[in-house]
Amino acid sequence: VSGERKAKAERMFALMDGFQKNDPMSLQKDILNHVEYTVARSRFSFDDFEAYQGLSHSVRDRLIERWHDTQLHFKREDPKRVYFLSLEYLMGRSLSNSVINLGIRDEYAEALNELGFELEVLAEQEGDAALGNGGLARLSACQLDSLATLDYPAWGYGLRYQYGLFRQLILDGFQHEQPDYWLNFGNPWEIERVHVTYPVKFYGTVEEELVDGRKSRVWIPAETVEAVAYDNPIPGYGTRNTITLRLWAAKPSDHYDMESYNTGDYINAVVDRQKAETISSVLYPDDRSHQGKELRLKQQYFFVSASTQDIIRRFKDAHDNFDEFPQKVALQLNDTHPSLAIAEIMRVLIDEENLDWDRAWGIVCKIFSFTTHTVLAEGLEKIPVDLLGSLLPRHLEIIYDINFKFMEDLKKKVGLDYSRLSRMSIVEDGAVKSIRSANLSIVCSHTVNGVSKVHFELLKTKVFKDFYELWPEKFQYKTNGVTQRRWIVVSNPSLCDLITKWLGTEAWIRNVDLLTGLREYATDAVLQQEWKMVRRVNKMRLAEYIEVLSGLKVSLDAMFDVQIKRIHEYKRQLLNILGIIHRYDCIKNMNESDRRKVVPRVCIIGGKAAPGYEIAKKIIKLCHVVADKINNNSDIGDLLKLVFIPDYNVSVAELVIPGADLSQHLSTAGHEASGTGSMKFLMNGCLLLATADGSTVEIIEEIGSENLFLFGAKLDEVPTLRERGPNMKVNLQFARVVRMIRDGYFGFQDYFESLCDTVEADKDFYLLGSDFGSYLEAQAAADKAFVDQDKWTEMSILSAAGSGRFSSDRTIQEYAEKTWGIEACRCPF
Ligand code: CBF
């Protein structure tokens, strides 16, 4: 039989003409074939979008080849695999990243040129895959790129939302949300796996039954939904390895409510069946809290159940003893969102695989690791017990049992310290009895990770203090990182070429520590000149974008000062706007000779507010009314401009970041777990103006405090400043700008009242008032530095040169070695 199979395989390989060819002629034929046969447009007449479609299908073919080889290689080698469970991924566009990682960008560019197209123009045709909210989701995407590049045997699992993060529409300065039906024009980057489906069950009851003579708890579910896999190949750079991001879509199950059919209500039964699809239909657009929504809980369990069935099936294909599970499987919980996986694996091992509790528990404790991404109490999820009990009754029982055993153990260690016991309990007995997902994740994981050094300190001393005292050995941190492939090679190709030229090698694209080699040239006049040129061209690109968006012409000599991120009170976009009002006010009142000394600025702000977050929405409106005032004042001219970039997403970031001179990271110390935007700016040689929060503290260690503009209260000063509250000496400049808003200088006086209230001395939780003076000083220092363009360029080069530590390659390597215990498994070329 095996001889027969081999002969068949050889014949098939010969028929397929080996691998796809990558010379420009073959690529052209391939693109045209896809235009004709896949897209079904005539190869004699097609537009840019259709060309993009043909092109992306041709790239997809090449991805699939490597992906198949990688999967086969993993299957053969059977290494320990890591399964990355995340409810959110912000992948952005795939085309440019894919051709770069596949190493065939130039070949495609040439092939397209000969067909009369430009790769960059076609790349713009692609929409963003925005299946996530912010930092956490983009981090997941960066980490997948690193997992593939470093040859780790990894799988990403998530949900294939039909509607990604809402599109932000600005009408008259107000944010409006529009659905993002991103699949409207097809998605060439995914492969539907019609045969990879699993039933996911909900509701019902738990009954006691005799199974094999043993009393067992048996879950009798009442609803079944089918999970269908969509695979997204993720290519590594400089390797054949191409891993899988498997996203689940909900489809009606054939077992769905047969009763309704039987009772003859055919139409309603079909309509009802269709409702199953709502589970994966929409991403929750709030990155602050998700308390108590049934659909959200269904999403979490749906994705966890399908993923664990898939993981267990893969394990069982090669093994028949579950004691080997921890040697083959590492499960990474990306925040608490997938924490139901713990109860699900316990349930499967006990109820379906007939392991006893202790054996199942022993396995579970060895496979899970948990990373938390927040310091905010509202970021810690709670699941109402009533809700969980009705949706997943057996899981609730299991969680209760885990908690009972944990509490018994804890009592032996800490005695009857009821307040500590109740703080650490997985079950919270409040007005609404709830499951604390974070406590569940900590109790059942072998490792708990923070995402920066500061975050780690906060976890140990505040957020999870009780747990840290109990299990100090469980706690670690891995400072976040971003992928230099996306954030330099794809988005800033001229800087990429310049770096390669000066380092004399492309090796930094896989080993970004080599960027430190730029340090020795930081004052070299030739590099400085070329660096400035690259930055100017990027600014030009950004200026054109701004003009198209808003009609505003901005001067390239001005400092491009950017703050792009989700709108949050703790991220303090309001501080930025108040600073801009102050600058405007000063310029207005200056005499001619002082005006000549002003460093011109183009202030750029972008970001989405969660739909129900009223204060954040007011901040957006304020930005617009202030912009109207400033941009239309002929006295101010080019000295100050303010632009709000709507619908901020990954591809907008790719355009804006390379063109920024200065970027702002203003979170009140102790509020940003890490922050990853700053790392992207740093890699691109943009100077930072920031508080000593999250990963900025480590950025300072790398580049030195002399190469950025630091301001604001330090972590240990924040509590005292808050306590001082109303007695705090009010900064007069701060009071003046707030008064301007209150007095209606920018209009909408009533509307902004509640926003102004948030920064009144006795309510200013995020300390805008007390940080304002030091913020203005940092801004003045930035102005001063900008005047000396050679010095500025030196700082810019040193920023990029010091960014190596903030690559997700480093983060992933640390996870692999210290948390997951996995090794590289490189697919032979
Ligand atoms: O760790 C990645 C990022 O996650 C967040 O965005 C989050 O969603 N919790 C944090 O707010 C960031 O600080 C962090 O960098």
Side-chain angles (χ1 to χ4, degrees):
V1 174
S2 83
E4 247 173 60
R5 256 207 209 145
K6 200 166 160 237
K8 198 168 160 197
E10 270 164 14
R11 186 174 137 66
M12 284 192 184
F13 191 74
L15 276 177
M16 282 181 69
D17 203 12
F19 291 120
Q20 299 273 0
K21 297 195 175 60
N22 293 329
D23 59 284
M25 181 62 85
S26 308
L27 294 179
Q28 285 175 42
K29 276 194 200 160
D30 203 27
I31 295 167
L32 291 178
N33 270 338
H34 275 298
V35 167
E36 180 97 17
Y37 301 115
T38 312
V39 184
R41 299 301 296 178
S42 157
R43 63 192 172 288
F44 302 113
S45 155
F46 54 97
D47 62 17
D48 279 356
F49 181 68
E50 288 143 7
Y52 155 73
Q53 288 182 302
L55 167 64
S56 53
H57 278 282
S58 142
V59 176
R60 169 192 154 113
D61 290 346
R62 283 148 183 85
L63 279 172
I64 288 177
E65 274 180 352
R66 293 173 186 231
W67 179 59
H68 279 153
D69 292 352
T70 310
Q71 300 316 313
L72 204 66
H73 183 63
F74 288 170
K75 198 168 177 177
R76 258 195 226 127
E77 297 293 309
D78 190 29
K80 179 173 182 180
R81 294 163 164 98
V82 64
Y83 296 103
F84 189 86
L85 305 182
S86 178
L87 257 194
E88 298 191 8
Y89 295 89
L90 270 178
M91 303 304 285
R93 291 173 174 155
S94 289
L95 176 62
S96 300
N97 186 68
S98 299
V99 291
I100 285 171
N101 279 15
L102 292 173
I104 44 178
R105 189 209 161 275
D106 293 347
E107 289 80 348
Y108 266 113
E110 193 186 327
L112 286 165
N113 273 341
E114 284 170 21
L115 291 176
F117 292 96
E118 263 184 67
L119 179 58
E120 284 68 29
V121 173
L122 298 195
E124 297 279 316
Q125 298 292 320
E126 185 177 351
D128 269 36
L131 306 184
N133 274 283
L136 170 148
R138 182 53 226 176
L139 182 78
S140 308
C142 284
Q143 294 190 337
L144 286 181
D145 180 81
S146 293
L147 282 162
T149 299
L150 299 182
D151 299 319
Y152 285 119
W155 285 71
Y157 280 105
L159 268 187
R160 181 180 180 268
Y161 304 103
Q162 281 178 296
Y163 293 90
L165 183 60
F166 65 88
R167 299 242 168 91
Q168 180 189 51
L169 204 73
I170 303 289
L171 293 177
D172 199 20
F174 291 100
Q175 169 178 300
H176 293 259
E177 299 88 32
Q178 284 209 325
D180 167 47
Y181 190 67
W182 68 295
L183 296 166
N184 231 352
F185 297 100
N187 176 16
W189 308 109
E190 68 182 8
I191 299 144
E192 185 181 7
R193 315 288 280 170
V194 280
H195 296 300
V196 184
T197 67
Y198 296 98
V200 178
K201 300 177 178 170
F202 297 102
Y203 304 108
T205 52
V206 181
E207 284 164 22
E208 197 154 83
E209 279 180 14
L210 270 183
V211 179
D212 297 334
R214 267 196 329 187
K215 267 194 196 162
S216 296
R217 307 286 296 159
V218 175
W219 178 26
I220 302 158
E223 186 180 302
T224 305
V225 173
E226 211 66 25
V228 181
Y230 285 76
D231 287 346
N232 299 252
I234 309 290
Y237 178 89
T239 171
R240 198 167 177 76
N241 279 39
T242 299
I243 59 171
T244 315
L245 168 60
R246 178 160 281 181
L247 301 178
W248 301 106
K251 296 272 151 73
S253 158
D254 282 346
H255 309 111
Y256 196 87
D257 196 11
M258 293 304 290
E259 260 317 288
S260 317
Y261 288 101
N262 298 341
T263 51
D265 189 2
Y266 173 74
I267 296 294
N268 275 331
V270 173
V271 169
D272 228 36
R273 251 172 72 92
Q274 229 46 45
K275 285 189 193 145
E277 294 184 8
T278 55
I279 292 182
S280 58
S281 64
V282 57
L283 166 83
Y284 274 85
D286 197 330
D287 59 346
R288 296 170 303 164
S289 66
H290 307 280
Q291 318 294 17
K293 300 272 188 303
E294 184 178 45
L295 178 59
R296 169 87 182 174
L297 188 60
K298 271 188 143 175
Q299 290 187 337
Q300 293 186 346
Y301 179 64
F302 173 77
F303 127 78
V304 148
S305 165
S307 308
T308 52
Q309 290 184 65
D310 201 37
I311 293 164
I312 290 173
R313 194 253 320 135
R314 190 168 305 110
F315 172 79
K316 283 172 77 173
D317 277 351
H319 304 268
D320 51 16
N321 180 356
F322 269 101
D323 295 329
E324 290 165 15
F325 202 59
Q327 292 145 38
K328 293 293 165 190
V329 172
L331 281 165
Q332 169 66 20
L333 301 175
N334 196 33
D335 221 292
T336 52
H337 317 152
S339 59
L340 283 173
I342 296 165
E344 174 66 356
I345 296 247
M346 280 300 279
R347 186 191 68 79
V348 172
L349 292 181
I350 296 171
D351 295 0
E352 293 177 11
E353 302 293 340
N354 297 318
L355 271 61
D356 62 32
W357 178 279
D358 289 343
R359 201 166 149 218
W361 179 243
I363 292 168
V364 161
C365 291
K366 289 191 199 113
I367 55 177
F368 282 102
S369 53
F370 163 52
T371 297
T372 168
H373 295 263
T374 189
V375 287
L376 309 177
E378 69 262 33
L380 300 176
E381 280 182 298
K382 290 178 194 163
I383 309 172
V385 159
D386 288 348
L387 186 61
L388 186 60
S390 116
L391 192 70
L392 301 166
R394 178 66 181 131
H395 296 76
L396 180 61
E397 279 188 3
I398 289 172
I399 293 172
Y400 271 148
D401 286 350
I402 293 176
N403 195 42
F404 176 77
K405 287 174 205 288
F406 168 55
M407 286 286 114
E408 289 304 299
D409 265 7
L410 193 60
K411 277 184 212 155
K412 286 185 206 139
K413 288 183 183 130
V414 304
L416 298 180
D417 177 349
Y418 285 112
S419 112
R420 183 159 182 203
L421 290 169
S422 101
R423 285 196 307 268
M424 294 178 78
S425 171
I426 296 171
V427 183
E428 181 178 82
D429 269 323
V432 180
K433 196 170 180 181
S434 311
I435 299 302
R436 295 169 171 145
S437 303
N439 293 20
L440 174 67
S441 306
I442 298 172
V443 170
C444 306
S445 298
H446 55 76
T447 310
V448 178
N449 269 293
V451 289
S452 73
K453 205 188 265 183
V454 169
H455 187 216
F456 182 51
E457 287 309 314
L458 289 166
L459 294 182
K460 290 193 296 185
T461 55
K462 287 207 175 88
V463 192
F464 300 137
K465 182 170 183 288
D466 292 315
F467 285 103
Y468 176 70
E469 285 168 3
L470 180 68
W471 294 313
E473 68 288 352
K474 267 195 192 190
F475 285 76
Q476 301 182 355
Y477 74 95
K478 315 277 181 292
T479 301
N480 284 342
V482 300
T483 165
Q484 65 272 23
R485 266 85 56 190
R486 167 76 58 162
W487 296 106
I488 304 180
V489 187
V490 172
S491 62
N492 200 344
S494 356
L495 187 69
C496 171
D497 291 345
L498 187 63
I499 294 173
T500 300
K501 176 179 151 194
W502 281 80
L503 294 181
T505 171
E506 278 184 357
W508 64 272
I509 301 175
R510 272 181 71 94
N511 177 7
V512 77
D513 284 339
L514 295 175
L515 284 181
T516 51
L518 289 173
R519 281 187 182 139
E520 65 178 286
Y521 309 113
T523 51
D524 185 296
V526 181
L527 173 59
Q528 287 217 351
Q529 198 45 39
E530 293 176 358
W531 196 270
K532 281 180 199 160
M533 278 299 292
V534 164
R535 298 196 52 74
R536 198 162 175 93
V537 172
N538 289 335
K539 282 176 81 167
M540 213 181 292
R541 221 166 36 131
L542 176 52
E544 280 165 12
Y545 181 69
I546 291 174
E547 191 175 347
V548 171
L549 270 184
S550 60
L552 203 65
K553 276 195 187 332
V554 295
S555 157
L556 295 183
D557 294 325
M559 182 199 295
F560 281 19
D561 158 356
V562 175
Q563 189 183 22
I564 41 173
K565 46 185 89 219
R566 280 300 279 251
I567 311 287
H568 264 284
E569 285 164 277
Y570 84 81
K571 292 182 191 280
R572 300 200 294 190
Q573 281 90 355
L574 183 55
L575 181 64
N576 187 358
I577 299 171
L578 296 176
I580 293 168
I581 299 177
H582 171 76
R583 183 175 285 266
Y584 161 80
D585 193 34
C586 290
I587 298 174
K588 250 180 18 118
N589 294 314
M590 270 176 195
N591 61 34
E592 255 326 294
S593 104
D594 284 342
R595 269 169 189 251
R596 277 196 287 273
K597 293 183 207 137
V598 171
V599 174
R601 287 237 190 177
V602 176
C603 301
I604 298 163
I605 298 180
K608 294 180 182 177
Y613 192 175
E614 272 313 310
I615 291 292
K617 289 182 146 178
K618 290 191 180 197
I619 293 173
I620 292 176
K621 174 66 182 168
L622 180 65
C623 184
H624 282 89
V625 293
V626 173
D628 276 352
K629 198 67 161 189
I630 295 175
N631 299 343
N632 295 317
N633 187 326
S634 56
D635 272 1
I636 301 287
D638 274 349
L639 293 184
L640 185 61
K641 292 278 177 251
L642 172 57
V643 186
F644 185 89
I645 297 202
D647 205 30
Y648 172 60
N649 60 16
V650 176
S651 26
V652 171
E654 286 175 38
L655 176 78
V656 173
I657 292 171
D661 294 304
L662 184 77
S663 71
Q664 303 203 33
H665 309 276
L666 311 180
S667 56
T668 316
H671 287 264
E672 193 70 270
S674 162
T676 44
S678 51
M679 301 170 181
K680 298 163 197 165
F681 283 104
L682 193 74
M683 279 184 177
N684 281 275
C686 168
L687 270 52
L688 311 185
L689 190 148
T691 49
D693 198 21
S695 56
T696 303
V697 174
E698 287 153 85
I699 292 180
I700 300 168
E701 286 171 10
E702 286 303 295
I703 66 167
S705 55
E706 67 284 6
N707 287 314
L708 46 65
F709 307 100
L710 204 59
F711 81 99
K714 303 271 178 306
L715 187 57
D716 54 351
E717 297 164 349
V718 168
T720 327
L721 285 167
R722 277 195 182 135
E723 270 157 34
R724 264 202 269 160
N727 301 323
M728 184 182 73
K729 200 170 132 244
V730 176
N731 178 304
L732 289 179
Q733 293 157 320
F734 184 73
R736 179 175 161 83
V737 290
V738 176
R739 174 91 353 245
M740 284 169 79
I741 304 171
R742 279 206 186 278
D743 286 352
Y745 185 85
F746 301 100
F748 296 87
Q749 197 170 1
D750 294 342
Y751 179 75
F752 291 130
E753 199 180 306
S754 59
L755 180 61
C756 293
D757 287 347
T758 65
V759 294
E760 279 308 320
D762 56 341
K763 300 195 194 78
D764 188 10
F765 185 75
Y766 295 107
L767 302 175
L768 279 75
S770 60
D771 272 356
F772 198 63
S774 111
Y775 177 64
L776 295 184
E777 282 167 22
Q779 288 287 11
D783 283 333
K784 197 164 160 226
F786 196 71
V787 175
D788 181 350
Q789 275 294 302
D790 290 347
K791 181 68 193 154
W792 184 276
T793 306
E794 181 189 339
M795 291 166 80
S796 164
I797 296 170
L798 290 174
S799 297
S803 66
R805 178 164 156 197
F806 306 102
S807 163
S808 44
D809 293 350
R810 193 258 318 130
T811 318
I812 283 301
Q813 198 161 341
E814 286 181 12
Y815 270 109
E817 287 165 10
K818 297 188 193 153
T819 301
W820 302 325
I822 55 164
E823 284 173 7
C825 182
R826 191 174 169 90
C827 187
F829 263 93

